[in-house]
Amino acid sequence: MVLAGALASTHAWLTEFVVAERLCPWASPARASVRTVEASAATVAAEALREARALAEAPASSRAATTLVVAPALLDDDASAFVRLAQSVGDELRADGLAIDVLAFHPERVDAPLPGSAAADADATRHYAARSPYPTLQLLRTSDLESARAEWARERGDGMPGALGLLVEN
């Protein structure tokens, strides 16, 4: 499959950074089955909802591990607004009874400091785990995410819950 532009850049970021550095519990060669679609600024929420519903309804044997909805037209938009868009999509999916998690990645994303840590500037390396080359919504089945987090925590044996251990390690 040949990808162009934003999709090619996003795919390279996924394989050369996220998977290579194991930044997410699903990010392993065994789990890296990803569907990637591009959406316009006007259609990103609708496209994410459509893709999330398809992800939830697909038979287990044919399902990708995750779907990335890439929105290059929102590149100049505020990262906080993009995170709010992801939350809105997630709220709608939960209201529909769908167990799909929505994660937001943005080239300018800056997350709040972890409890007990000093505030970091926007260029701190810890922010790069939430940054992608283009605004991107990641759609994951909640059951798959929970399973991957539990597996991640078992592999490390440090006693930390998967999500917390992942944040600390990243």
Side-chain angles (χ1 to χ4, degrees):
M1 170 170 68
V2 176
L3 300 174
L7 294 184
S9 294
T10 301
H11 189 265
W13 162 76
L14 177 68
T15 57
E16 297 169 16
F17 181 63
V18 177
V19 172
E21 298 298 326
R22 294 193 47 112
L23 295 179
C24 288
W26 61 267
S28 70
R31 283 205 164 101
S33 172
V34 178
R35 177 170 162 71
T36 309
V37 297
E38 188 171 330
S40 70
T43 64
V44 66
E47 186 70 21
L49 290 167
R50 187 182 71 71
E51 289 292 329
R53 290 180 179 110
L55 187 65
E57 295 169 5
S61 61
S62 67
R63 296 195 287 197
T66 187
T67 300
L68 300 177
V69 179
V70 183
L74 297 178
L75 188 58
D76 293 329
D77 285 11
D78 178 63
S80 297
F82 192 70
V83 169
R84 288 190 300 277
L85 172 69
Q87 291 167 339
S88 173
V89 169
D91 290 346
E92 187 164 341
L93 291 169
R94 280 184 293 285
D96 289 349
L98 295 176
I100 299 289
D101 282 38
V102 181
L103 307 175
F105 296 89
H106 190 283
E108 301 298 323
R109 183 156 172 188
V110 175
D111 288 331
L114 292 171
S117 66
D121 66 47
D123 292 327
T125 57
R126 70 181 192 79
H127 299 299
Y128 286 86
R131 291 183 179 167
S132 58
Y134 292 92
T136 300
L137 296 178
Q138 180 184 17
L139 310 171
L140 301 126
R141 283 179 298 281
T142 303
S143 61
D144 290 349
L145 184 58
E146 289 170 354
S147 173
R149 284 178 174 160
E151 180 182 322
W152 188 92
R154 274 192 312 276
E155 287 176 3
R156 277 141 188 85
D158 58 13
M160 285 187 176
L164 176 59
L166 180 65
L167 286 172
V168 169
E169 185 171 302
N170 283 349

